[in-house]
Coordinates of all heavy atoms in Angstrom, one line a residue:
G387 N 61.1 -43.7 -24.7 CA 60.1 -43.6 -25.7 C 60.0 -42.3 -26.4 O 59.0 -42.0 -27.1
G388 N 61.0 -41.4 -26.2 CA 61.0 -40.2 -26.8 C 61.8 -40.0 -28.0 O 62.2 -41.0 -28.6
S389 N 61.9 -38.8 -28.4 CA 62.7 -38.5 -29.7 C 63.6 -37.2 -29.5 O 63.2 -36.4 -28.6 CB 61.8 -38.3 -30.9 OG 61.0 -37.2 -30.7
I390 N 64.6 -37.1 -30.3 CA 65.5 -36.0 -30.3 C 65.7 -35.4 -31.7 O 66.0 -36.2 -32.6 CB 66.8 -36.3 -29.6 CG1 67.7 -35.1 -29.5 CG2 67.5 -37.4 -30.2 CD1 68.9 -35.2 -28.5
V391 N 65.6 -34.1 -31.8 CA 65.7 -33.5 -33.2 C 66.9 -32.4 -33.0 O 66.8 -31.6 -32.0 CB 64.5 -32.8 -33.7 CG1 64.7 -32.1 -35.0 CG2 63.4 -33.8 -33.8
V392 N 67.8 -32.5 -33.8 CA 69.0 -31.6 -33.8 C 69.0 -30.8 -35.0 O 69.0 -31.3 -36.2 CB 70.3 -32.3 -33.6 CG1 71.5 -31.3 -33.6 CG2 70.3 -33.1 -32.3
K393 N 69.0 -29.4 -34.9 CA 69.2 -28.5 -36.1 C 70.4 -27.6 -35.8 O 70.5 -27.1 -34.7 CB 67.9 -27.7 -36.3 CG 66.7 -28.5 -36.6 CD 65.4 -27.5 -36.8 CE 64.2 -28.3 -37.1 NZ 63.1 -27.3 -37.4
S394 N 71.2 -27.5 -36.7 CA 72.5 -26.8 -36.5 C 73.0 -26.2 -37.9 O 72.8 -26.8 -38.9 CB 73.6 -27.6 -35.8 OG 74.6 -26.9 -35.5
K395 N 73.7 -25.1 -37.6 CA 74.4 -24.5 -38.8 C 75.7 -23.9 -38.3 O 75.7 -23.1 -37.3 CB 73.6 -23.4 -39.5 CG 74.1 -22.9 -40.8 CD 73.2 -22.0 -41.5 CE 73.7 -21.5 -42.9 NZ 72.7 -20.6 -43.5
Q396 N 76.8 -24.2 -38.9 CA 78.1 -23.9 -38.4 C 78.2 -22.3 -38.4 O 77.9 -21.6 -39.3 CB 79.2 -24.4 -39.3 CG 80.6 -24.3 -38.8 CD 81.6 -25.0 -39.6 OE1 81.3 -25.6 -40.6 NE2 83.0 -24.9 -39.2
G397 N 78.7 -21.8 -37.2 CA 78.8 -20.4 -37.0 C 77.6 -19.7 -36.6 O 77.7 -18.6 -36.2
K398 N 76.5 -20.4 -36.5 CA 75.3 -19.7 -36.2 C 74.6 -20.4 -34.8 O 73.9 -19.7 -34.1 CB 74.2 -20.0 -37.3 CG 74.5 -19.3 -38.5 CD 74.5 -17.8 -38.4 CE 74.7 -17.1 -39.7 NZ 74.7 -15.6 -39.6
G399 N 74.9 -21.6 -34.5 CA 74.4 -22.1 -33.3 C 73.7 -23.4 -33.5 O 73.6 -24.0 -34.6
T400 N 73.2 -24.0 -32.4 CA 72.5 -25.2 -32.5 C 71.2 -25.2 -31.7 O 71.1 -24.6 -30.6 CB 73.4 -26.4 -31.9 OG1 74.6 -26.3 -32.5 CG2 72.7 -27.7 -31.8
R401 N 70.2 -25.9 -32.2 CA 68.9 -26.0 -31.6 C 68.6 -27.5 -31.4 O 68.6 -28.3 -32.3 CB 67.8 -25.4 -32.4 CG 68.0 -23.8 -32.6 CD 66.8 -23.2 -33.4 NE 67.1 -21.8 -33.7 CZ 66.3 -21.1 -34.4 NH1 65.3 -21.7 -35.1 NH2 66.5 -19.8 -34.6
I402 N 68.3 -27.9 -30.2 CA 68.0 -29.3 -29.8 C 66.6 -29.3 -29.3 O 66.3 -28.5 -28.4 CB 69.0 -29.9 -28.9 CG1 70.3 -29.9 -29.6 CG2 68.6 -31.2 -28.5 CD1 71.5 -30.4 -28.7
K403 N 65.8 -30.2 -29.7 CA 64.5 -30.5 -29.2 C 64.3 -31.9 -28.7 O 64.5 -32.8 -29.5 CB 63.4 -30.1 -30.3 CG 61.9 -30.4 -29.8 CD 60.9 -30.0 -30.8 CE 60.8 -30.8 -31.9 NZ 59.7 -30.5 -32.9
V404 N 63.9 -32.1 -27.5 CA 63.8 -33.4 -26.9 C 62.2 -33.5 -26.5 O 61.7 -32.8 -25.8 CB 64.7 -33.6 -25.6 CG1 64.3 -35.0 -25.0 CG2 66.1 -33.5 -26.0
E405 N 61.7 -34.6 -27.1 CA 60.3 -34.9 -26.8 C 60.1 -36.1 -26.0 O 60.7 -37.2 -26.3 CB 59.5 -35.0 -28.1 CG 59.4 -33.7 -28.9 CD 58.5 -33.9 -30.2 OE1 58.5 -35.0 -30.6 OE2 58.1 -32.9 -30.7
L406 N 59.5 -36.0 -24.8 CA 59.4 -37.1 -23.8 C 57.9 -37.4 -23.6 O 57.1 -36.4 -23.2 CB 60.1 -36.8 -22.6 CG 61.6 -36.6 -22.6 CD1 62.1 -36.0 -21.3 CD2 62.3 -38.0 -23.0
P407 N 57.4 -38.6 -23.8 CA 56.0 -38.9 -23.6 C 55.6 -38.8 -22.1 O 56.4 -39.2 -21.2 CB 55.7 -40.2 -24.2 CG 57.0 -40.9 -24.0 CD 58.1 -39.8 -24.2
K408 N 54.3 -38.4 -21.8 CA 53.8 -38.4 -20.5 C 53.2 -39.8 -20.3 O 52.2 -40.2 -21.0 CB 52.7 -37.3 -20.2 CG 53.2 -35.9 -20.1 CD 52.2 -34.9 -19.8 CE 52.7 -33.5 -19.5 NZ 51.6 -32.6 -19.3
R409 N 53.7 -40.5 -19.4 CA 53.1 -41.9 -19.2 C 53.0 -42.1 -17.6 O 54.0 -41.7 -16.9 CB 54.0 -43.0 -19.7 CG 54.1 -43.0 -21.2 CD 52.7 -43.4 -21.8 NE 52.7 -43.4 -23.2 CZ 53.0 -44.4 -24.1 NH1 53.3 -45.6 -23.5 NH2 53.0 -44.4 -25.3
P410 N 52.0 -42.8 -17.2 CA 52.0 -43.2 -15.7 C 53.0 -44.3 -15.5 O 53.4 -45.0 -16.4 CB 50.6 -43.7 -15.6 CG 50.1 -44.2 -16.9 CD 50.9 -43.2 -17.9
K411 N 53.3 -44.5 -14.2 CA 54.4 -45.5 -13.9 C 54.0 -46.9 -14.3 O 54.8 -47.7 -14.8 CB 54.5 -45.5 -12.3 CG 55.3 -44.3 -11.8 CD 55.5 -44.4 -10.4 CE 56.1 -43.1 -9.8 NZ 56.3 -43.2 -8.3
E412 N 52.7 -47.2 -14.2 CA 52.3 -48.6 -14.4 C 52.5 -49.1 -15.9 O 52.7 -50.3 -16.1 CB 50.8 -48.9 -14.0 CG 49.9 -47.9 -14.6 CD 49.6 -46.7 -13.7 OE1 50.5 -46.4 -12.9 OE2 48.5 -46.0 -13.8
D413 N 52.4 -48.2 -16.8 CA 52.6 -48.7 -18.2 C 53.8 -47.9 -18.9 O 53.9 -47.8 -20.0 CB 51.4 -48.5 -19.1 CG 51.0 -47.0 -19.3 OD1 51.6 -46.2 -18.5 OD2 50.1 -46.8 -20.1
F414 N 54.8 -47.5 -18.0 CA 55.9 -46.7 -18.4 C 56.7 -47.4 -19.5 O 57.3 -46.8 -20.4 CB 56.7 -46.4 -17.2 CG 57.7 -45.3 -17.5 CD1 57.4 -44.0 -17.7 CD2 59.2 -45.6 -17.7 CE1 58.2 -43.0 -17.9 CE2 60.0 -44.6 -18.0 CZ 59.6 -43.3 -18.0
M415 N 56.8 -48.8 -19.4 CA 57.7 -49.5 -20.3 C 57.0 -50.1 -21.5 O 57.6 -50.8 -22.4 CB 58.4 -50.6 -19.5 CG 59.3 -50.2 -18.4 SD 60.6 -49.2 -18.9 CE 61.5 -50.4 -19.9
D416 N 55.7 -49.7 -21.7 CA 55.0 -50.4 -22.7 C 54.9 -49.6 -24.1 O 54.7 -48.5 -24.1 CB 53.5 -50.6 -22.3 CG 53.3 -51.5 -21.1 OD1 54.3 -52.3 -21.0 OD2 52.3 -51.6 -20.5
N417 N 55.2 -50.3 -25.1 CA 54.9 -49.9 -26.5 C 55.4 -48.5 -26.8 O 54.7 -47.6 -27.2 CB 53.4 -49.9 -26.8 CG 52.8 -51.3 -26.6 OD1 53.5 -52.3 -26.9 ND2 51.6 -51.4 -26.0
Y418 N 56.8 -48.4 -26.7 CA 57.3 -47.1 -27.2 C 57.8 -47.3 -28.6 O 58.3 -48.3 -29.0 CB 58.5 -46.7 -26.3 CG 58.1 -46.2 -25.0 CD1 58.4 -46.9 -23.8 CD2 57.3 -45.1 -24.9 CE1 58.1 -46.4 -22.6 CE2 56.9 -44.6 -23.6 CZ 57.4 -45.2 -22.5 OH 56.9 -44.7 -21.2
Y419 N 57.8 -46.2 -29.4 CA 58.3 -46.2 -30.8 C 59.2 -45.1 -30.9 O 58.8 -44.0 -31.4 CB 57.1 -46.1 -31.8 CG 56.1 -47.2 -31.6 CD1 55.0 -47.1 -30.8 CD2 56.4 -48.4 -32.3 CE1 54.0 -48.1 -30.6 CE2 55.4 -49.5 -32.1 CZ 54.3 -49.3 -31.3 OH 53.4 -50.4 -31.1
P420 N 60.5 -45.2 -30.5 CA 61.5 -44.1 -30.6 C 61.8 -43.7 -32.0 O 61.9 -44.5 -32.9 CB 62.7 -44.7 -29.9 CG 62.5 -46.1 -30.1 CD 61.1 -46.5 -30.0
T421 N 62.1 -42.4 -32.2 CA 62.5 -41.9 -33.5 C 63.6 -40.8 -33.2 O 63.5 -40.0 -32.3 CB 61.4 -41.2 -34.1 OG1 60.3 -42.1 -34.3 CG2 61.8 -40.7 -35.5

Side-chain angles (χ1 to χ4, degrees):
S389 64
I390 179 167
V391 180
V392 177
K393 298 181 179 181
S394 187
K395 189 171 184 181
Q396 189 170 4
K398 295 293 185 179
T400 300
R401 297 177 181 177
I402 295 178
K403 179 173 71 173
V404 176
E405 294 180 338
L406 299 167
K408 287 183 175 179
R409 292 291 178 95
K411 289 182 183 178
E412 52 268 22
D413 66 348
F414 193 74
M415 298 299 293
D416 295 342
N417 301 323
Y418 286 121
Y419 301 94
T421 304

